[in-house]
Amino acid sequence: MTRNELHNQRLVKEAQAAAIRQVTRRHFLKESAMGFGALALGSLMGSCGFGASESSNPNTFDPAHPLAPKMPMFPGRAKSVIYLHMAGAPSQLELFDYKPELMKLDGQLCPRSLLEGKRFAFIQGVPKMMGPQAKFAQYGENRTWVSELLPHFSTIVDEVSILKGVTTDQFNHGPAQLLMQTGGARLGRPSMGAWVTYGLGTENQNLPGFVVLTSGGKFPDAGKSVWGSGFLPSVYQGVQCRSEGEPVLFIKDPEGMDRDLRRASINAINQVNEEEYKEYADPEILSRVSQYEMAYKMQISVPEVMNINDEPQYIHEMYGTQPGKACFANNVLLARKLVEKGVRFIQLYDWGWDTHGTAENSSIDVGLVNKSREVDKPITALILDLKQRGLLEDTLVVWGGEFGRTPMMENRNGKPNPFKGRDHHVEASTMWMAGGGIRKGVTYGETDEIGYYTINGKVTPHDIQATVLNQLGFDHEKFIFDFQGRPFRLTDVSGKVIQDIVS
């Protein structure tokens, strides 16, 4: 008996064992209590949103082809998104929000009015104010203030819209990251990338519609839930890829299994799944079939697109890449390659921006400087590279963290930290967007003279999400998914499109 025949024989036995288990469940559901169990199961499946009405969402879910390209609600300016999340929250006061008045208060005790009734992650007692720890200058046609820590980015400020009044109501990393990426501060909601691929599918059926790349050595505090699918079908969750080693874990065939044997295995598995679908009509079963097919295609397509070694030398110099290593620059270049291949949503997480001042690498004057140097060249190269390839017009690029940093120095447990640092701040932070129909050279929003409160142009995570969806062609209030008897949307029950930055 050949190896293929032995393998298929094992698969048949596994299928027979699964069939026995199905019969047991079938008898329980169909024969017990006159079939009321099956009716209950059907009702439960219906409540999970797989049959969401076309009136609530024109892009009905096709479980047999879940990632097929779909039309948005209206013509969108963007076709894909690259979201650069700086996990830990970069200090806007050292990067974008120039506050010379804050420098005059440097070293003075913080006024009580800035502390009373406020909640901070670590500040206790009365901390000292801390002036900007970087120099600023104006750049571009609109004389936009940018820090010396971002010398490369300062050359492209006329390509972006800077949002200086981003606020949140979550002052801890995990909940704040969840709110920014899923629209809710608690676990269980789909990520922005999952919503986008659910609504639009993807243009390349050999690659995932939603790809995640991480750098900085750690995952975001909220973990992999920030790229999960929540209550959406699991096919829409982000697929994590790597810039070193195997691009996707376990993508290679096991030792002794060739390509033909892998194809035969998937065919047999899918045949069992299709038989199970005939019994239960669970759309997740068909999603499982499509995921097996996608995994088979990815074995060829992913290693090719995730290889940056074939890029010309001038591109490596432009991005500052380090082939063979795990770094932010490599991931940014990969994001451009994935957009070129038709991937719908690319999410980059860079860990290490939590500058409390408890150690040198997490300080404002050392850690932030180093992190800024790591990202400045790659993000600038990304905008320029997308533009020169004609991709920036329909690629929306988003940069930011989960909240801002305080204008006062952190004093953990009421005592000064050993290095200069700032605590979490919910009242103001800075983000920027570029491409995909976003106006160029705009600065929207303003904080007070010390950068504590947003005084105009206030936006929330839901406003950011509403704007992203709008650029892709979706009305965030109508783009919903029915789950457990309630219509859900990415922006929950709020959010407005930031019209002043939309061209």
Side-chain angles (χ1 to χ4, degrees):
M1 184 176 292
T2 66
R3 185 177 62 180
N4 281 4
E5 290 172 338
L6 285 170
H7 183 71
N8 288 337
Q9 188 179 70
R10 288 197 297 270
L11 289 174
V12 169
K13 290 181 179 179
E14 291 176 7
Q16 290 172 342
I20 292 173
R21 291 194 296 272
Q22 291 172 0
V23 167
T24 303
R25 291 195 296 270
R26 181 166 64 249
H27 278 284
F28 175 76
L29 293 171
K30 291 186 176 180
E31 296 181 12
S32 299
M34 300 176 64
F36 284 116
L39 289 174
L41 178 61
S43 174
L44 178 61
M45 289 168 60
S47 71
C48 289
F50 295 118
S53 64
E54 292 192 14
S55 62
S56 62
N57 176 19
N59 295 314
T60 52
F61 174 60
D62 179 3
H65 306 284
L67 291 175
K70 305 172 190 175
M71 296 297 293
M73 293 177 174
F74 52 85
R77 296 291 301 277
K79 294 181 179 179
S80 56
V81 177
I82 298 175
Y83 196 119
L84 311 167
H85 185 100
M86 308 296 102
S91 173
Q92 75 282 6
L93 296 169
E94 273 69 41
L95 298 179
F96 296 105
D97 205 8
Y98 179 46
K99 297 299 173 185
E101 291 299 315
L102 181 60
M103 180 58 72
K104 299 176 182 179
L105 300 176
D106 188 60
Q108 298 182 26
L109 290 178
C110 178
R112 288 283 184 181
S113 60
L114 301 182
L115 303 173
E116 293 174 352
K118 304 296 182 181
R119 299 179 68 189
F120 300 98
F122 296 102
I123 284 178
Q124 295 179 4
V126 181
K128 292 182 178 181
M129 304 299 291
M130 184 167 71
Q133 300 299 299
K135 296 178 181 179
F136 281 75
Q138 292 176 292
Y139 300 90
E141 292 184 2
N142 293 323
R143 312 305 295 159
T144 303
W145 288 102
V146 180
S147 162
E148 64 179 345
L149 302 183
L150 300 174
H152 293 91
F153 181 82
S154 66
T155 65
I156 61 162
V157 289
D158 286 339
E159 296 290 339
V160 308
S161 278
I162 297 178
L163 305 172
K164 290 190 175 180
V166 183
T167 64
T168 183
D169 59 7
Q170 300 296 322
F171 64 88
N172 284 325
H173 294 292
Q177 290 166 1
L178 284 170
L179 179 60
M180 184 63 73
Q181 299 298 330
T182 74
R186 296 179 177 84
L187 297 171
R189 288 179 178 265
S191 60
M192 195 185 311
W195 276 106
V196 170
T197 48
Y198 163 65
L200 291 176
T202 185
E203 295 180 349
N204 190 330
Q205 297 302 301
N206 294 329
L207 291 169
F210 177 16
V211 172
V212 177
L213 300 164
T214 63
S215 57
K218 295 183 180 180
F219 285 157
D221 294 73
K224 296 182 179 181
S225 55
V226 289
W227 62 80
S229 58
F231 47 70
L232 291 177
S234 57
V235 69
Y236 298 117
Q237 68 184 353
V239 174
Q240 185 186 355
C241 294
R242 307 187 303 166
S243 58
E244 67 170 346
E246 285 187 79
V248 178
L249 291 176
F250 312 116
I251 196 171
K252 293 182 179 179
D253 290 326
E255 187 176 349
M257 176 175 282
D258 57 27
R259 190 73 175 160
D260 291 338
L261 187 56
R262 170 62 75 188
R263 179 71 266 178
S265 300
I266 291 176
N267 288 342
I269 293 169
N270 285 347
Q271 185 176 355
V272 173
N273 284 326
E274 288 165 2
E275 291 297 322
E276 187 175 6
Y277 178 73
K278 292 177 183 178
E279 287 288 327
Y280 302 108
D282 183 352
E284 272 290 287
I285 297 173
L286 290 186
S287 293
R288 190 188 312 153
V289 171
S290 69
Q291 285 173 311
Y292 273 111
E293 292 293 338
M294 173 63 75
Y296 181 73
K297 296 174 183 177
M298 283 170 57
Q299 288 185 304
I300 298 298
S301 56
V302 168
E304 177 185 353
V305 74
M306 298 297 290
N307 177 23
I308 65 172
N309 294 322
D310 57 354
E311 291 288 322
Q313 184 59 32
Y314 84 91
I315 289 292
H316 288 296
E317 293 174 358
M318 185 178 182
Y319 282 85
T321 52
Q322 303 177 59
K325 296 183 179 180
C327 67
F328 180 77
N330 288 8
N331 287 349
V332 175
L333 177 54
L334 287 172
R336 188 268 287 165
K337 293 189 67 175
L338 290 165
V339 163
E340 282 186 305
K341 293 295 185 179
V343 174
R344 188 70 69 184
F345 200 101
I346 302 101
Q347 179 79 62
L348 274 66
Y349 290 100
D350 186 55
W351 185 88
W353 293 85
D354 196 18
T355 47
H356 286 284
T358 54
E360 186 176 59
N361 64 352
S362 63
S363 66
I364 289 291
D365 50 341
V366 178
L368 179 66
V369 173
N370 292 335
K371 292 302 296 184
S372 299
R373 186 182 298 117
E374 289 176 11
V375 307
D376 179 38
K377 194 173 184 178
I379 60 177
T380 303
L382 176 65
I383 300 300
L384 294 174
D385 201 8
L386 290 172
K387 185 177 181 179
Q388 72 181 3
R389 295 168 189 270
L391 294 171
L392 188 58
E393 291 182 0
D394 52 20
T395 302
L396 176 61
V397 182
V398 183
W399 182 96
E402 58 266 29
F403 40 60
R405 314 301 298 198
T406 58
M408 64 282 283
M409 188 181 298
E410 181 180 317
N411 60 336
R412 191 162 297 198
N413 299 319
K415 299 178 181 179
N417 287 348
F419 299 90
K420 293 181 178 180
R422 301 186 188 276
D423 203 355
H424 307 167
H425 193 51
V426 301
E427 302 287 353
S429 65
T430 298
M431 297 181 64
W432 59 258
M433 295 186 184
I438 294 296
R439 291 177 61 192
K440 299 180 179 182
V442 173
T443 296
Y444 180 75
E446 181 185 4
T447 58
D448 61 25
E449 60 184 9
I450 63 170
Y452 192 96
Y453 290 108
T454 296
I455 57 177
N456 65 62
K458 176 181 177 179
V459 298
T460 68
H462 292 136
D463 298 329
I464 301 291
Q465 295 152 5
T467 305
V468 170
L469 291 179
N470 180 77
Q471 298 311 99
L472 292 165
F474 288 96
D475 181 337
H476 73 103
E477 294 183 341
K478 297 179 180 178
F479 183 36
I480 65 174
F481 187 87
D482 294 329
F483 177 66
Q484 293 184 342
R486 176 197 154 178
F488 282 84
R489 69 188 207 211
L490 172 61
T491 54
D492 198 28
V493 295
S494 60
K496 294 181 180 180
V497 176
I498 310 169
Q499 295 291 351
D500 286 2
I501 69 168
V502 175
S503 62

